[in-house]
Amino acid sequence: GTGSNILSALQDLFWLLKSKAEKQLQIISVLQWVLTFLIMGIACTLILMYILCTDCWVIAALYLAWLVFDWNTPKKGGRRSQWVRNWAIWRYFRDYFPIRLVKTHNLLTTRNYIFGYHPHGIMGLGAFCNFSTEATGVSQKFPGIRPYLATLAGNFRMPILRDYLMSGGICPVNRDSIDYILSKNGSGNAIIIVVGGAAESLNCTPGRNSVTLKNRKGFVKLALRHGADLVPVYSFGENEVYKQVIFEDGSWGRWVQKKFQKHIGFAPCIFHGRGLFSSNTWGLLPYSKPITTVVGEPITIPKIDNPSQKDVDFYHSIYVDSLIKLFDKYKSKFGLPETEVLEVN
């Protein structure tokens, strides 16, 4: 009996230690991604400039030569790596929240797609985990579909960061890149565009389901020009992982944010999550709140080389209605009351 009790106690201790170790690995995986998002581009640029001033300048010079040669690769679908997309660190990243991908309909490999991802949140954590890694099984759930998460083109001017982003299947959110993927890269491509962008990030806060979409029609025009089907995607919980100071329209804070958004492409947000060692302190780590990304039904889009504004408006209205229906259908399943309404701005 004593031996059995000792064995049971050792097993309990083993599982306790394993659980704590996994939690620490989850925290480390999320921290490295947050730091990558915030400072990797600037840090790599400064390090490269420093190396140019040292005895190791040849290394930096060779990389810069490669950078010039490889400059247009991001515009041509990038250079994804299945090895990087399958890193174990992304599974720890997924389990920290946790993040889940829900498929509602099959996607034909003979078609191309533009996914509209909503909402942006502070950092688009669900968009990254679901479509730039294999942590939630996107390739198994949508076999034959190659996802490309579109992000700011300026990120691809940053040394090292550009290569890291491309390895995950991330591409610039500009016309050249999207045109290439949808017209010169065969079929079965899915470009994920966070439609609300920086403007939407300014309004994200826990408890609020709001999207910036009414005047965002460029993605619909692109879909029409290439005959790419539109797919609404809503990520429940994306706005819950950070708390943000919201500046009202007309305030000096909102004026500064909009100026940054206009001239630089992103809006500086004042936000916080939890601390590194305690969830009761402030820090850069997001709160561990569930994020569930639901991929809706594709909307069949005809190919029109020069779509009129009437065409764009028509399919945009269909897309908005589909997104609202998707939200209403799944909101109660993921913790929202039946009375919750999606705010479309």
Side-chain angles (χ1 to χ4, degrees):
T2 303
S4 177
N5 290 337
I6 293 174
L7 180 61
S8 178
L10 287 175
Q11 287 177 336
D12 290 343
L13 179 62
F14 170 77
W15 288 113
L16 178 62
L17 292 174
K18 183 179 178 182
S19 177
K20 286 186 175 180
E22 287 184 348
K23 188 61 180 178
Q24 292 304 313
L25 287 171
Q26 291 170 12
I27 289 173
I28 291 170
S29 69
V30 174
L31 179 63
Q32 67 83 26
W33 188 85
V34 170
L35 294 177
T36 296
F37 182 89
L38 294 176
I39 66 172
M40 183 177 178
I42 295 173
C44 289
T45 302
L46 294 175
I47 291 170
L48 195 67
M49 292 173 62
Y50 172 75
I51 294 174
L52 279 171
C53 300
T54 68
D55 292 339
C56 298
W57 64 270
V58 175
I59 297 174
L62 287 173
Y63 178 80
L64 288 174
W66 160 253
L67 191 63
V68 172
F69 174 78
D70 194 55
W71 190 252
N72 288 323
T73 298
K75 299 178 182 178
K76 298 180 179 180
R79 189 170 45 247
R80 74 174 56 218
S81 166
Q82 287 302 117
W83 175 65
V84 173
R85 288 176 60 89
N86 281 287
W87 277 354
I89 195 171
W90 305 131
R91 295 193 290 275
Y92 289 111
F93 182 96
R94 171 199 66 197
D95 293 340
Y96 172 85
F97 297 94
I99 295 174
R100 179 185 171 201
L101 180 65
V102 176
K103 169 187 175 180
T104 63
H105 291 78
N106 291 324
L107 298 181
L108 299 175
T109 58
T110 54
R111 301 286 292 173
N112 284 324
Y113 302 90
I114 293 180
F115 287 18
Y117 184 92
H118 313 269
H120 183 285
I122 294 292
M123 296 184 184
L125 293 159
F128 171 80
C129 185
N130 285 308
F131 302 113
S132 294
T133 80
E134 294 297 330
T136 56
V138 63
S139 293
Q140 286 72 43
K141 292 178 179 177
F142 300 103
I145 301 297
R146 292 181 298 276
Y148 294 86
L149 177 60
T151 188
L152 289 175
N155 289 324
F156 296 89
R157 301 186 187 103
M158 301 283 190
I160 308 301
L161 175 63
R162 66 188 292 277
D163 301 287
Y164 189 41
L165 294 178
M166 284 194 292
S167 68
I170 301 177
C171 68
V173 61
N174 58 29
R175 181 169 172 174
D176 289 343
S177 177
I178 294 173
D179 282 348
Y180 183 91
I181 293 171
L182 294 180
S183 64
K184 299 180 181 178
N185 202 40
S187 60
N189 302 292
I191 297 179
I192 297 88
I193 300 177
V194 186
V195 178
E200 191 172 85
S201 68
L202 298 178
N203 295 317
C204 70
T205 188
R208 183 176 183 182
N209 288 283
S210 171
V211 297
T212 301
L213 183 57
K214 281 184 179 178
N215 297 315
R216 299 295 175 105
K217 301 181 180 181
F219 73 105
V220 178
K221 189 172 184 178
L222 281 169
L224 286 164
R225 288 180 62 245
H226 294 284
D229 293 347
L230 289 171
V231 182
V233 179
Y234 197 84
S235 213
F236 294 90
E238 186 73 63
N239 284 346
E240 307 299 316
V241 296
Y242 279 110
K243 296 179 180 178
Q244 180 182 188
V245 176
I246 303 293
F247 294 101
E248 298 298 327
D249 286 334
S251 66
W252 67 269
R254 183 54 64 98
W255 179 84
V256 170
Q257 289 175 323
K258 287 186 175 180
K259 286 295 181 182
F260 264 83
Q261 177 191 336
K262 179 179 179 180
H263 297 292
I264 301 179
F266 72 91
C269 302
I270 300 177
F271 65 92
H272 74 83
R274 52 156 290 182
L276 182 59
F277 302 106
S278 172
S279 60
N280 296 320
T281 59
W282 288 9
L284 288 176
L285 278 176
Y287 293 103
S288 52
K289 303 287 186 179
I291 298 175
T292 305
T293 302
V294 184
V295 179
E297 182 178 4
I299 302 165
T300 303
I301 301 294
K303 188 177 187 302
I304 304 175
D305 291 333
N306 294 296
S308 65
Q309 189 59 49
K310 184 178 180 180
D311 294 327
V312 173
D313 291 342
F314 175 72
Y315 284 100
H316 181 267
S317 66
I318 293 176
Y319 178 86
V320 173
D321 289 342
S322 296
L323 178 64
I324 293 173
K325 288 178 182 177
L326 180 70
F327 177 85
D328 288 339
K329 182 177 180 179
Y330 288 94
K331 61 186 177 183
S332 61
K333 294 182 180 179
F334 303 119
L336 297 177
E338 283 290 348
T339 55
E340 184 72 20
V341 176
L342 180 62
E343 181 183 336
V344 180
N345 298 315

